[in-house]
Every structure is written in C-alpha cells, then in structure tokens.
Amino acid sequence: MTEESQAEDFIADAERHNEWWSEGIGQDLQDATDRTPRSDFHEVLKSVHEEDEEGSSNLVYPIYGSTGIGKTTLLYQLVAALIETTDFPLRDPGFDIISSVSPRQILYVPLEDSLYHLERPEEGIERLKQVVDYFHTHIAPRHGRKYILLDDIDILNLDEGEKETLLEFVDEDTYLFLTGIVREQVNLRELSKAGNIDHVEWPWGVLPMKFIDTIGYPEGEGGLNVDFSNEFRDQLESYRSDRLSGPNPIKDVRKGLNLKSSDTDIQSAIESLNSLYFDRFGPSERDDLHDAARDYLRKGGTLHRTTDSSVRNEIIRSHFLLYLYKGLAKYGSIQNPENLHRLSSIAASQAGEELKYTEISERIGVDRRTVDSYLGVLDDGIAVTESHDYSLRRHRRTRLYLRNPRHVVLLSQRQEHFGFEEYSQQNVLNHEFEYKLARTVAFDHAMRLSFSVKAYEVEYCPTDAGLVDYILHRDGIVLPFILSYHPHTDSAEQIALEFDPRDGQHTEDGSENLRELEYEAPYRFIVTDSVPKKVRENESLVVEHNDVSICYLPYWLFLLIC
C-alpha cells in the first residue's frame, strides 16, 4: 500500500467512528447515553465547565485506568453532553458547555479499535497527525472550539519527543482529551510545549466506583440491591457532590481531616461524623446503609452490561487478564507477564496478610529487585497496591491489596470464595471471605481518603494486641484505623490503646535520613460492622479510655466519607 492510500484508510476509519458528523449519533454513542453517568463523568464535565468559565482557550485533559474500567464510555458520554443533537445528561447541572457545539466540532479517535496498532511505532503518530489535519481542514467549521478525544493513546508507544507532537494538536480554541492505561502515558504537564497551553490538567485516574457512587446507580447497571427512597438518594447526592449548595457533612469531615491544611481540625471532623450518624440518618436508614455496604462487597463497584452473573465474571476476568498480559506487561517491558498474574493471585488469596519479600521471591521464582519492579508496574496500573509497616525504616515485609474487590473473588480458589461468585446474597455463610473483601475494600477507600486529606500513603502497624490496619499520616499528624469486622472483632479497643504514634519512622525524600517528627494521634478510629451498645446509648461515636480518644466508625460510614 502506498503512503497516500494508507492515509485515506485512516481518515475513512475516523469517519466511521465519528458517525455524528453525518446524520444521527451512531449506535456506540446511543449505547453510552443509555447508561447512567458515573461520578468520574460529572467531575470531568465540571472541570471542563470551570476552565471554559475562566476563559481557557485551550486545554489538555488526561485520563487513565485499567482495561474495561469505563474510560471509553466516559468519552462517549462527554461527546453526547457537548453536542447539540442530544439531550444528555438528563439531570442538567446548568453548565453552559452542555449542548453547546456542532457535532462536526468533535473528533473522536479510538486508537485500539482503529488501524494504529498495525503501524510501526514511529509511523502511528504520523497517521494520527494526518487524521487531525483532515479534521481541521475538511470537517470542523472555521470558527468555534474544537474537541479532540484520543482514546487508548498507549497504543502508539510514544517516547517523550513524540508526546510533544500531541500538544501540537492543541491549537487556539482546542480542548484535547486523551486516555491511557497508566498515569505516565498520559501525563503531559512536564513537556516543554505544555507552557503554551492555558491549562494542562493532572491525570485523572478512573477506579472502580466507590461505595457512595453505587448508592445512586441503578441496580441493574451495578448499583446496590437496597431499596433507598429517591429522597434519601438525593440527600446522599448532595453530600457527595461539590456542585450542590447546602450543608455537606461529608465534605466537612474531609476538610477537618485535611492533614496539609492550616485549618486541620480533627475535632470538627469528629463532630461532623457524629452529626451524620445520629442526626442526619435515622435507624432504618443506618440499617439500610449497613446492608448496602455488605452488598457492595459482593458486587465490587463494577459496571454491569448483563444480568447473567457468570457472564459478568468472565467479562471482568477477561478484562483484567488482558490488562495484565497485554497492557501492563507492554508498559513495563515485562518478559514474563504471567508473573503479574501470580502476584495478583497472591494478593487475592492473602488479602492484606503480611508477606516477606523473600517469600514472594521464592513463590514467583525471581529476585527481590524483580519483585519490586513487578509491584511497581501493578501499582502504576492501580491493580495491586502495597502497604508498608509504619514503624520500620527498611521494609522487609509488605501487605498486598487488589484495588478491585471483584478481582479478589475471581483470582481466589473457589473453596475460599464459595458463595461469593454470585452477585446476590446466598444461603451459605462465608464470614472469612467476607472479611477478606471488607479488608480489601476498606484499604481501597483508605487510599481514596488519603488523597482527599493529603496524606502521604496508607501504612499498617502491628501491636502486641493486634494490627492497626490503615494509618494515614502527614508531618507528624497520624490517623490510625483499626478494622473490627466479623469474625475478627476481638481486642479492637486494646489495639487502639496500645498503638503508639511515636513508633513511626520515615525518611526524608531521596534520603536515608530519618525525618525529625513529633508524631501524634489525637484519635484512634475503630472501623466496625457492629457499633457497640454503649456508643448508641450515649449518642456519641467517641469513647474515652485512659486519656485516649477512640472514635467508632460504622463500616458503611467509613466507606461513605472516603
């Protein structure tokens, strides 16, 4: 094939994927608008609206996440929200950019589903330049903003110099969106030409839906099988969203726990937690939220495209294995991608149990340095995340957590997860596996909370009485969380009393020198699936023991604030 005919093929492929340029909106776009938008869509739409309001004439918005997580659906829904020929989203937040452009002002290029993966790496970017040039010269009107959406940019295998070419697409009055599987592939902020762009957004990671998001989602699409009233769902939506005015106790909790702010006020956060539990929610609503949290463990915040549970599992398993064997292995130049699978399976079966690196090395059959590189790739892909010991300077042990609880089910042995392969409640009780899921989900939500409150990371700390499961900290202020979930509910208060925040040891960035910090933990938090009777009767989540303040957090409330 000649170079000219190849260019024509790529242009024809772009025309096929952008059916809204001609009559109608196309089946793919219709399918996306039939699905309820997730919170990531609303956050992206809000960010674009704010940049438009501030007068940014050009913008770069990078998005990353695992295979099948919903990045493509998000982009299609963004297209639907922008063009004037659709009525989407149905709940109009009042943004001026909604339904503001002609369909011919938008170019969407799905690189994975196009011809780019057939090209040599150095030629793929050239074909993309030809398509973008064709869009500007033959499709888009001369005036008005252009929107360019590049899906699966990782297919191009761009080096740093070729990434600069992406910024050349961002002319005056152009907004560029791009997706990839890991943060580094889509991060354009450090490039030299980024200074010519009005705003280059930090990469936005798309994760499985967190607990509070699933409450407002239809049950058939991945929501929870709990019959909340529409009024109560609206109430939770007002707490979740920054777009709505009025009292927001969840936001107040995060504000009080912000470890980087000069306004850090943990006492104020405790008062907001008390208000949420005792004032905002009645007994029946608290019971419903408890049931919803258990349902979330079983479903894992995963979007559903079918009601058949076995098909759902196979789709999720296939997406994850494709991500490991193709996406992450390629990204990390890993010769034996099956080792990523093995590590993920270890994380599923151990589910937060402490592991020695020497033990991991022996099970995988590689040295410690290679194990570290594998775990780094899995962490970059938000697939498996490590938790380190809060009190150890040199880490010889770790705890591994899968970030999607459904992966814990699918990578475990059936004798472990029996009764949880289905998405509905079973007659068979499997408390040990439910505890594994509860531990995994709590870690994932603690990671999200750490981002919100500007903590450094999520660590753990053993005591003689048991484990402090999740520790968030920054500059000496420590937030310890102890998980007390059936059947592992013994000694929670004793663990809280024995925990000494002064055990913390952390080094300066890029150095082996210890930071000189005065660690303090104003409160110890016990995350529990069964709030003690004394707490309910006293109508206070806080109990005092020997000058130690312990705050009981219902498991569902912990998930709600993260």
Side-chain angles (χ1 to χ4, degrees), residues 194-439:
N196 301 327
I197 310 299
D198 284 353
H199 182 72
V200 180
E201 183 67 48
W202 289 100
W204 176 271
V206 180
L207 295 164
M209 289 190 297
K210 57 186 179 180
F211 174 61
I212 192 172
D213 291 337
T214 59
I215 291 174
Y217 227 75
E219 200 276 332
E221 295 182 33
L224 304 176
N225 187 26
V226 178
D227 189 19
F228 292 110
S229 68
N230 290 333
E231 180 182 4
F232 184 66
R233 292 177 189 271
D234 290 341
Q235 179 185 354
L236 288 180
E237 168 64 16
S238 70
Y239 295 163
R240 184 189 65 79
S241 175
D242 291 335
R243 303 188 304 275
L244 303 178
S245 59
N248 191 331
I250 290 181
K251 186 177 180 181
D252 292 340
V253 172
R254 294 173 184 161
K255 181 180 179 181
L257 296 180
N258 190 329
L259 302 181
K260 188 179 181 180
S261 171
S262 59
D263 297 327
T264 300
D265 188 347
I266 297 177
Q267 181 59 42
S268 174
I270 296 295
E271 292 172 0
S272 296
L273 287 170
N274 265 310
S275 175
L276 269 168
Y277 185 79
F278 291 106
D279 301 331
R280 304 283 179 171
F281 302 137
S284 63
E285 293 168 335
R286 294 198 291 263
D287 289 343
D288 286 344
L289 285 165
H290 175 274
D291 292 342
R294 292 193 68 192
D295 198 34
Y296 179 85
L297 298 185
R298 192 172 292 277
K299 294 178 177 174
T302 301
L303 297 173
H304 299 161
R305 293 181 179 271
T306 174
T307 57
D308 188 313
S309 60
S310 63
V311 174
R312 287 185 201 170
N313 284 337
E314 285 308 310
I315 291 174
I316 295 169
R317 190 199 310 273
S318 297
H319 279 153
F320 188 60
L321 294 183
L322 179 65
Y323 186 47
L324 296 178
Y325 281 85
K326 181 183 178 184
L328 290 184
K330 179 180 176 182
Y331 159 74
S333 300
I334 293 175
Q335 299 299 315
N336 302 107
E338 64 273 12
N339 287 335
L340 296 180
H341 189 178
R342 288 173 181 161
L343 272 173
S344 300
S345 297
I346 291 173
S349 62
Q350 301 302 122
E353 294 295 327
E354 190 174 59
L355 296 165
K356 294 180 180 179
Y357 281 106
T358 53
E359 177 187 349
I360 298 174
S361 295
E362 290 172 0
R363 291 178 66 175
I364 300 298
V366 297
D367 59 28
R368 164 67 189 270
R369 178 178 295 183
T370 305
V371 168
D372 286 342
S373 69
Y374 288 160
L375 292 174
V377 169
L378 289 168
D379 184 57
D380 287 346
I382 328 180
V384 176
T385 300
E386 290 187 84
S387 181
H388 290 125
D389 194 324
Y390 169 78
S391 58
L392 289 180
R393 184 179 172 190
R394 294 184 181 275
H395 299 303
R396 295 182 176 86
R397 298 176 177 86
T398 187
R399 294 174 189 264
L400 304 181
Y401 291 93
L402 284 159
R403 298 300 298 276
N404 187 333
R406 181 47 44 171
H407 294 159
V408 179
V409 178
L410 298 180
L411 296 184
S412 297
Q413 298 298 315
R414 193 166 190 271
Q415 66 266 24
E416 294 178 317
H417 72 245
F418 181 70
F420 280 82
E421 57 268 32
E422 297 291 334
Y423 289 78
S424 57
Q425 296 291 340
Q426 304 294 303
N427 293 326
V428 178
L429 299 179
N430 188 339
H431 296 304
E432 282 292 342
F433 194 76
E434 182 175 330
Y435 172 77
K436 282 188 177 185
L437 291 176
R439 195 180 207 177

Side-chain angles (χ1 to χ4, degrees), residues 121 124-125 153-163 166 185:
I125 189 67
I153 200 70
D154 48 283
I155 294 300
L156 296 179
N157 297 315
L158 301 179
D159 58 29
E160 291 301 302
E162 291 166 332
K163 281 185 181 179
L166 297 177
Q185 292 168 334

